[in-house]
Amino acid sequence: MTPSSQNFDVLIVGSGLAGLSAALHLGATHRVAVLTKRELNDGSSRWAQGGIAAVMGEGDTLASHVQDTLVAGAGLCDLDATRLVVEGAPQSIRWLQQLGVPFSKEAGHLHLTREGGHSERRIVHVTDATGAAVQNTLMQKVRNTPNITLFEHHMLVDL
């Protein structure tokens, strides 16, 4: 099957975490094609060992997370973009949990760690293989979504 012989509503180029997430969000209502130049699991997302920063613990605040990010960014962060990402992070974690990402837990709650410039424990993780766990979960869901068609070993040369 080649992409040229098919009709799709959405074309996603790349199969990293962002591309697969977009495909899953759109796949319920649109016909989606995902093109990747190698195999679906060959991207670099799976090598991310740390975790995902999100305000999920008691006592932590969105304002504190924004401030920590701005300080760590040494003046290079866009304030509006930083706020948008920080405010959306808890909902994104809940979405990943619903998909089945096996985040590390302690006493039945997400195990939160503290990394880098964070002043609070807000790093949600899957031991030391968060990227691989998220990537594997998203790949499984994408492969099982009827409206999503994968094109592995395809290059986008001209559009």
Side-chain angles (χ1 to χ4, degrees):
M1 175 173 8
T2 63
S4 60
S5 66
Q6 303 261 335
N7 290 317
F8 297 97
D9 301 313
V10 178
L11 169 64
I12 297 173
V13 180
S15 61
L17 299 184
L20 295 179
S21 294
L24 287 170
H25 282 294
L26 294 166
T29 57
H30 296 79
R31 291 168 302 166
V32 179
V34 177
L35 271 70
T36 184
K37 62 184 169 186
R38 292 185 295 262
E39 292 181 20
L40 193 59
N41 65 354
D42 278 347
S44 58
S45 294
R46 69 182 314 97
W47 299 109
Q49 294 179 333
I52 304 167
V55 174
M56 303 297 287
E58 288 186 37
D60 197 3
T61 66
L62 295 173
S64 174
H65 189 177
V66 167
Q67 185 59 35
D68 288 350
T69 303
L70 294 174
V71 169
L76 299 175
C77 300
D78 177 84
L79 179 59
D80 291 335
T82 300
R83 281 189 184 132
L84 181 70
V85 170
V86 167
E87 290 170 1
Q91 180 180 344
S92 295
I93 295 297
R94 288 189 290 275
W95 178 71
L96 290 170
Q97 286 179 295
Q98 289 171 352
L99 291 179
V101 174
F103 289 114
S104 298
K105 294 189 176 180
E106 183 174 74
H109 300 285
L110 289 172
H111 180 259
L112 304 174
T113 63
R114 188 173 156 205
E115 293 179 356
H118 296 281
S119 61
E120 300 288 336
R121 297 174 67 88
R122 66 173 66 108
I123 308 302
V124 180
H125 62 98
V126 182
T127 58
D128 284 332
T130 305
V134 174
Q135 182 84 3
N136 289 340
T137 301
L138 294 181
M139 286 188 313
Q140 176 190 12
K141 295 296 182 185
V142 162
R143 288 186 194 281
N144 292 325
T145 302
N147 277 353
I148 300 174
T149 304
L150 299 171
F151 295 96
E152 296 176 294
H153 302 285
H154 282 76
M155 298 290 289
L156 183 66
V157 179
D158 292 318
L159 183 61

